[in-house]
Amino acid sequence: MTTNPISRFFRWFFYRSRGDSPFKTILIHATLIIACVIAVYPVLRVVTISLRPNDTLLTTDLRIIPENATLDNYKEVLFGDAEKNRQSDFFLWIWNSVSVVAVTSVISVILAAISAYAFSRFRFPGRSAGLIFLLTTQMIPAGMLLLPLFIMIAKLKMINTPLGLIIAYAVTSVPLTIWTLKGYYDTIPVDLEEAALIDGASRLTVFTKIILPLSTPALAIAFLFSFMGGWSEYLVARVVLQKNEMFTWPLGIFTFAQQFTVSWGQFAAASVLIAIPIMALFLYSSKWLISGLTLGSVKG
Amino acid sequence: MESDNFLRRNLPNILWIAAIVSIYFVLSSLIAPFSDGITLSSKIIGERLQEIGGFLFAILGGLAIIEIYFYQIFFRQPLNRTATIVTRAIQVAMGLLTFTFIIYFFNLTDLIKLGDSAIGKFVNMPVNSFANLQKSLISSKVATKDSAKMVAGIIFALGILVLYAIIQFASKPRNSRVGLAYLLIMPAFIGVLFLIIYPFLFEIKLAFSNASLGTQATKNAQYSLLFGWENLKMLFTGTVAKDAKFFEVFWRTILWTVINVTFHVLGGMGLAILLNRPLKFKGFYRTLLVIPWAIPTTIAAMALRSEFDSRYGLFNILLGNLNTWLTTVSQNTANIIGIGNGFAWLAATIGPVSWKQDPFWAFVSVLLANIWLGIPFMSVIILGGLQSISQEYYEAAEIDGATRWQQFRNITLPLLRPVLTPAIILGVVWTFNKFDIIYLITQGGPQEKTDILVSSMYKAAFQFYRYGFTAMFALVIFAILFIFTLFYLRVSDGLKSATE
């Protein structure tokens, strides 16, 4: 009827609201926008700090893009500090983190993919005890086993090696992954396998040819879970790794804060560089992550 | 044709690899060769890959040996009497060997102390002979120093494989109903045994010791029930880390857990209900709202720590601005009785806060940070639950004339229960144990007034090196959590569905 663009916009905007009055719709949008600002603003502040020139790091300015914005901090983080004649450790940290966390995730996904199948499909003595035990391990604080693990790792001469950290991370990641994958296997209909078994396929063929291909998304989720669990871990890594060249990135960026003059600019730049890919990955995969979470915890 | 096909199929992968390699070369040419510090080089990468590869290879080899052992027990049947004797003899010998390895491991990590006794020597025998084999390999120039371990390992594995081959030839297949299941869970079972059961046993042992920095951890530590009693007494009457007492920290932990979980659930529920309505820009809001969950915790904690700075932090800037505004308003409204005084009172009360020095505000600061971090997770879980509730229930309720609140109470909440129950129980346990935020933001300060149980324990172990005490502390924390879980499971009947 009306061709007025503003009124058209309003009609579009309020179109699907289920019997809500316009006032209420606006109220809901306002609440959500405030929530979004609270969620995003502290993160944007990190970007702001990373863009500030070094002489105006300490300011009470609240703008998102600061005055005289520069990329100097990024340059220093990535390519080293010419003034202090110091090379950049950034890629080393990333490599240390990736190598430790990726190996942990691969080990736990492989172990879990195999054993979760047994828990899901076979009935054997000790099965429910095993499942309850796995659930109980979720109650154990990671910090609780840290001391004996630390002593064990020290006795095995694995302090300051990636292997020690891999062992420490596997403690939390293996049970969680088994639990997640078992939940997913339970949702795959048994009929498929039974048909294949009747046709003469062995259990092994069934597992590799039917179950594994069908559960690729769940395997990816489990991998992501355990990857994200270890990726930004600080406290365990601090205990196991003490040498600079072994540092994972959380330890690494913490050195920026511990230096004599706190290098907030470099800290922020390094944070942004690390956070962008991982956040992109997270947001991209969040839909599946959520389904994985509910599978593991709700459906059992 | 074949090669053409291959190229076409793998072109994207090849391009990816080429892109990564070229990025690597561009970056490595850009990185200036300064003298100080270490930069990632292909040498470091190669060494790391070798180290991890060797580790994985050893694990795989060990697992394969164990798997074949149990495969033969479950699925092979000896042909005749002599075969039975030989087979069982080999299997018992292998079992004994494994057993000595386990005892050796216990001895190595000080779970048990054998010293130079006869048993100790016997237990050390396999490992010593392995070391001797390495030495002879080096002296006979078969292997270099670096590869000796691997070559010796391969020889060792080959020897075992020969034994397996003997059993294999002297047996016929048989059926086993549960064998495959056990074979499948074996690797994870061994992993859990090594990673969880063993450390747990070790912790119990440690709890009854006087291990500390003075005893060089477990090297010279002594074990007795008396030490356990001392540790326990120390825990409840003495200080848990350096300044704080147990019950003070305990109540703070309860407060920490209750406040966090309450706000997570309420905030998450509120956002989820709003997002579950038909709305424009829903996807956009949802993406922005999960950002606190998506950002790595370490980064978020460090960023928030700088925001709690007394002069340059966001919170004090905002509070300062609010204070200035309130002051001006109170001056402008000074003539109006009541309002003017009210604003003057507000201006005097609300203002910048010393987040770092004041224990109360320090605790508020870690709470704020953790609530901010935790709400998105809950809201996403609850949103998932809400979306699975059929719209028909609400339509039917509306026809019957139920109000919104009645719909929420009688439809939404009961149907959310299967989602909410595990989410809350896990939320409580996670929050109870989650101290990285506290550690990174306040380090438990000032004077350990923001420590919770787990962070005190971490400090006791790795700042004050009170190992025996920490082990007892950990057991007490575990007992608290265990009682909570049992209680909750009894109330909510939660495990039944999980193990069906």
Side-chain angles (χ1 to χ4, degrees), chain A residues 12 18 20 29 38-39 45 85-87 89 96 99 125 135 139 144 147 155 232 235 254 267 290, chain B residues 34-36 38-39 48 110 182 203 277 280 285 298 302 307 372 380 391 433 458 467 481 495:
Chain A
W12 171 79
R18 173 187 62 169
D20 286 340
H29 277 280
I38 292 172
R45 286 269 295 177
N85 197 13
R86 189 175 161 72
Q87 286 190 334
D89 298 343
N96 284 338
S99 59
L135 197 66
M139 311 292 161
M144 191 192 131
L147 176 65
K155 294 281 175 191
S232 66
L235 297 158
F254 212 72
F267 159 74
I290 293 148
Chain B
F34 299 125
S35 58
D36 196 11
I38 318 132
T39 309
R48 176 65 51 81
D110 283 354
Y182 285 122
E203 184 127 71
R277 305 172 82 93
K280 298 286 173 198
Y285 289 135
T298 317
M302 293 289 289
E307 301 302 0
W372 181 78
V380 159
Q391 210 60 42
N433 293 329
Y458 185 82
Y467 293 137
L481 275 176
L495 262 185

Side-chain angles (χ1 to χ4, degrees), chain A residues 21-291:
Chain A
S21 63
F23 174 71
K24 202 168 170 188
T25 314
I26 289 175
L27 206 66
I28 290 169
H29 277 280
T31 321
L32 283 174
I33 287 170
I34 290 170
C36 285
V37 168
I38 292 172
V40 175
Y41 191 65
V43 181
L44 283 181
R45 286 269 295 177
V46 181
V47 181
T48 314
I49 294 170
S50 74
L51 292 173
R52 275 186 197 150
N54 264 332
D55 49 341
T56 57
L57 270 178
L58 299 175
T59 136
T60 52
D61 195 6
L62 286 181
R63 271 174 302 181
I64 288 169
I65 304 287
E67 258 180 286
N68 313 322
T70 81
L71 291 175
D72 280 353
N73 288 317
Y74 290 92
K75 218 174 92 190
E76 269 176 42
V77 165
L78 286 177
F79 307 122
D81 188 345
E83 269 171 56
K84 291 179 199 156
N85 197 13
R86 189 175 161 72
Q87 286 190 334
S88 155
D89 298 343
F90 184 73
F91 294 102
L92 186 73
W93 300 335
I94 299 289
W95 163 246
N96 284 338
S97 278
V98 168
S99 59
V100 165
V101 181
V103 172
T104 315
S105 311
V106 168
I107 292 178
S108 46
V109 168
I110 292 175
L111 284 187
I114 299 169
S115 58
Y117 180 67
F119 277 123
S120 169
R121 289 295 191 267
F122 294 91
R123 296 289 177 273
F124 52 91
R127 173 177 175 275
S128 62
L131 278 175
I132 290 177
F133 174 77
L134 283 178
L135 197 66
T136 335
T137 57
Q138 294 301 299
M139 311 292 161
I140 300 179
M144 191 192 131
L145 291 182
L146 190 54
L147 176 65
L149 270 175
F150 170 72
I151 293 175
M152 180 178 101
I153 290 169
K155 294 281 175 191
L156 294 174
K157 300 202 170 57
M158 283 184 178
I159 291 292
N160 267 326
T161 68
L163 308 183
L165 201 56
I166 290 174
I167 289 176
Y169 284 167
V171 172
T172 41
S173 126
V174 171
L176 184 70
T177 327
I178 297 179
W179 197 250
T180 319
L181 283 180
K182 190 231 157 214
Y184 188 82
Y185 287 153
D186 283 348
T187 65
I188 301 175
V190 195
D191 310 1
L192 277 175
E193 287 163 79
E194 277 169 359
L197 285 174
I198 288 167
D199 288 349
S202 72
R203 271 285 177 188
L204 206 67
T205 336
V206 168
F207 181 60
T208 50
K209 292 274 162 66
I210 298 177
I211 298 296
L212 278 188
L214 275 179
S215 52
T216 328
L219 295 177
I221 292 167
F223 182 87
L224 264 181
F225 263 148
S226 82
F227 193 91
M228 303 246 178
W231 177 244
S232 66
E233 208 287 331
Y234 173 81
L235 297 158
V236 178
R238 197 187 81 109
V239 170
V240 177
L241 306 174
Q242 284 142 5
K243 267 199 242 154
N244 270 0
E245 72 236 41
M246 286 298 159
F247 275 7
T248 54
W249 71 258
L251 295 175
I253 61 167
F254 212 72
T255 57
F256 285 133
Q258 280 169 335
Q259 283 161 13
F260 185 62
T261 51
V262 176
S263 329
W264 280 120
Q266 291 183 28
F267 159 74
S271 301
V272 171
L273 287 173
I274 291 164
I276 283 176
I278 199 79
M279 278 167 76
L281 182 69
F282 189 92
L283 295 177
Y284 172 73
S285 62
S286 61
K287 219 168 156 187
W288 299 293
L289 280 179
I290 293 148
S291 68

Side-chain angles (χ1 to χ4, degrees), chain B residues 304-315:
Chain B
L304 287 170
R305 187 167 94 150
S306 72
E307 301 302 0
F308 286 116
D309 188 85
S310 60
R311 273 186 70 195
Y312 304 111
L314 171 67
F315 294 97

Side-chain angles (χ1 to χ4, degrees), chain B residues 339-383:
Chain B
I339 297 173
N341 286 339
F343 274 109
W345 179 78
L346 278 178
T349 331
I350 299 174
V353 177
S354 62
W355 296 102
K356 300 262 160 76
Q357 284 79 35
D358 189 325
F360 174 74
W361 289 111
F363 192 54
V364 171
S365 74
V366 281
L367 276 175
L368 281 177
N370 205 40
I371 290 169
W372 181 78
L373 277 167
I375 285 183
F377 175 77
M378 270 301 175
S379 78
V380 159
I381 294 272
I382 293 173
L383 185 61

Side-chain angles (χ1 to χ4, degrees), chain B residues 32-53:
Chain B
F34 299 125
S35 58
D36 196 11
I38 318 132
T39 309
L40 184 64
S41 64
S42 46
K43 189 169 152 258
I44 294 178
I45 294 181
E47 278 171 2
R48 176 65 51 81
L49 287 180
Q50 214 176 352
E51 195 177 7
I52 290 174

